[in-house]
Amino acid sequence: MRRLLIGVALVALVAAGGYWRFGSHPDANPPPAAAAKPAGRSAVPVVMKPAARQAVPERFSTVGSAQPLATVAVRARVDSVVDAVHFTEGQEVRRGDLLFTLDDRSLKAQLRLAEANLERDTAQWDKAKGDVARYSELLKRAAVARQQYDAAVAAADGLEATVKADQAAIDSARIALGYTRIFSPMDGRTGTVAVKPGSSVRAADATPLVSLTQLRPIQVAFYIPERHLSGVREAMAGGTLAVTARAPGDTRPPAEGALTFIDSQVDQQTGTVLAKGTFANADTRLWPGQFVDVVLTLRIDADALTVPSAAVQTGQQGPFAYVVTPDKTVEMRPLSVTRYADGLAVIAKGLNEGETVVTDGQSRLFPGAPVTSRDAAQDKGAGDKGAGDKGAGPGAAAAPAKGGVS
């Protein structure tokens, strides 16, 4: 009986709990039909740019080195002593400027000796010519032997040769005397001076007195891969090709020059061909031996269809872009990209002029996603870093590598 009463009490408690749960609080567990409807998808803020036509140059970028057109090692041509140095190290000199003066006293003495020898031998030659004339008259009257006449003629001829040798010695002495004043053979910049006043110099010395380097104009040498050689030669056939050069870290506009040389053969070990550009270098921005970034412009596409390179993504099927449709949603559009240049992608197929592409914020997009325009400057440093990082999403476009055609 006791157990029966306990069971009845438990049933009553369960019934009372159910009434409190579902009777007194009917909204605590609404039926499925009363559940809230899911909210609509919100638009993704992105940066958009229209495809546009503009002039885009085709360039080849590489690294080169500046080389002087001429370097001259100035040496002494006579044995002497340095009297004076007329310039300072690192000075720019002009063609014909006096660089060194050497002691010329011994050479002047040699010149005077040669001149004296000439005077002596000339006098003897004049006498010998007179003897020949007298013997000639006496020979006609048979007053002298033929042998004496021939001896007089031979003596006169020998003295004539001696006079000519004396004149050559004088010329040589004057030339040697001229070597005691050393002039600049060209416009250029002087290097380290190896001698000082009082230093002995010899014509056989291996070390030059100073080296001169031509700075204006100057050449930049660089190498072109053989796969680009035909394109470069074809472009050269149409006219002079522009070349620019700039030292790393130089914020000024690059120096401008022209392609003036392509080697006659390809290096089989490296698969490259040597090329040179000539630059006026009026401001001496390019320095001999300096490494510079070289850009060779092959041609200019005057009416190329372009989009910012950041708009081009790379997927499993190749390059694509998110194109904004009139209803403000996006679609994935496969693209055929000709090349990249100056932050632009040149589009061969897949877009039309005026169509709008997404250039920033692609990581949150998918086909059919609604989008809204945002100001890229306001988004800088704010949330959605994944959307703001170019190339962070799958298939970010890579910039062309240095040394390639852009």
Side-chain angles (χ1 to χ4, degrees), residues 303-383:
D303 192 34
L305 180 63
T306 65
V307 296
S309 58
V312 181
Q313 306 288 293
T314 303
Q316 295 180 350
Q317 305 301 322
F320 71 93
Y322 285 105
V323 180
V324 181
T325 62
D327 61 355
K328 296 300 181 183
T329 60
V330 295
E331 64 177 18
M332 288 180 61
R333 184 81 61 80
L335 301 178
S336 175
V337 181
T338 302
R339 55 191 172 88
Y340 296 90
D342 300 332
L344 299 174
V346 179
I347 307 301
K349 187 169 58 176
L351 277 178
N352 296 317
E353 183 179 2
E355 288 189 301
T356 302
V357 295
V358 176
T359 63
D360 197 6
Q362 296 98 321
S363 62
R364 295 174 56 186
L365 297 181
F366 52 87
V371 292
T372 183
S373 178
R374 65 171 166 81
D375 186 358
Q378 293 178 355
D379 181 70
K380 204 171 196 179

Side-chain angles (χ1 to χ4, degrees), residues 7-24:
V8 172
L10 290 174
V11 172
L13 288 174
V14 172
Y19 173 77
W20 180 85
R21 175 72 178 85
F22 297 105
S24 60

Side-chain angles (χ1 to χ4, degrees), residues 137-302:
E137 292 298 327
L138 293 173
L139 183 63
K140 291 177 181 179
R141 298 194 297 266
V144 296
R146 180 74 184 186
Q147 183 179 2
Q148 289 180 308
Y149 172 76
D150 292 342
V153 171
D157 292 343
L159 287 172
E160 181 182 8
T162 301
V163 168
K164 292 180 179 179
D166 292 340
Q167 185 61 55
I170 291 175
D171 294 341
S172 178
R174 286 175 178 169
I175 292 173
L177 186 61
Y179 291 153
T180 60
R181 292 169 61 83
I182 302 175
F183 299 91
S184 173
M186 66 177 189
D187 296 348
R189 187 181 181 91
T190 60
T192 302
V193 180
V195 295
K196 302 297 180 184
S199 302
S200 296
V201 294
R202 302 184 60 186
D205 288 343
T207 303
L209 305 180
V210 71
S211 293
L212 295 179
T213 302
Q214 184 176 352
L215 300 180
R216 294 181 291 265
I218 199 170
Q219 288 185 329
V220 172
F222 55 97
Y223 289 89
I224 300 174
E226 60 180 332
R227 65 179 180 275
H228 299 314
L229 180 59
S230 59
V232 173
R233 294 186 60 195
E234 181 180 351
M236 287 185 67
T240 303
L241 300 187
V243 182
T244 63
R246 177 164 52 189
D250 190 351
T251 58
R252 295 172 294 177
E256 298 181 354
L259 183 66
T260 54
F261 171 77
I262 292 183
D263 203 357
S264 57
Q265 59 183 353
V266 176
D267 188 331
Q268 294 184 351
Q269 293 184 348
T270 62
T272 59
V273 61
L274 175 64
K276 293 181 181 180
T278 302
F279 296 77
N281 202 32
D283 55 359
T284 63
R285 186 189 312 177
L286 303 178
W287 208 252
Q290 183 181 37
F291 287 100
V292 293
D293 295 325
V294 178
V295 178
L296 171 63
T297 301
L298 301 179
R299 61 189 178 89
I300 296 178
D301 292 332

Side-chain angles (χ1 to χ4, degrees), residues 101-172:
T101 299
L102 305 182
D103 185 2
D104 60 359
R105 289 174 295 178
S106 64
L107 293 174
K108 285 182 176 179
Q110 293 177 17
L111 176 59
R112 289 195 297 270
L113 177 60
E115 290 173 342
N117 291 337
L118 176 63
E119 292 177 1
R120 180 196 63 196
D121 294 335
T122 300
Q124 294 179 356
W125 183 35
D126 290 341
K127 178 181 178 301
K129 288 190 292 184
D131 292 342
V132 169
R134 288 191 297 272
Y135 280 121
S136 177
E137 292 298 327
L138 293 173
L139 183 63
K140 291 177 181 179
R141 298 194 297 266
V144 296
R146 180 74 184 186
Q147 183 179 2
Q148 289 180 308
Y149 172 76
D150 292 342
V153 171
D157 292 343
L159 287 172
E160 181 182 8
T162 301
V163 168
K164 292 180 179 179
D166 292 340
Q167 185 61 55
I170 291 175
D171 294 341
S172 178

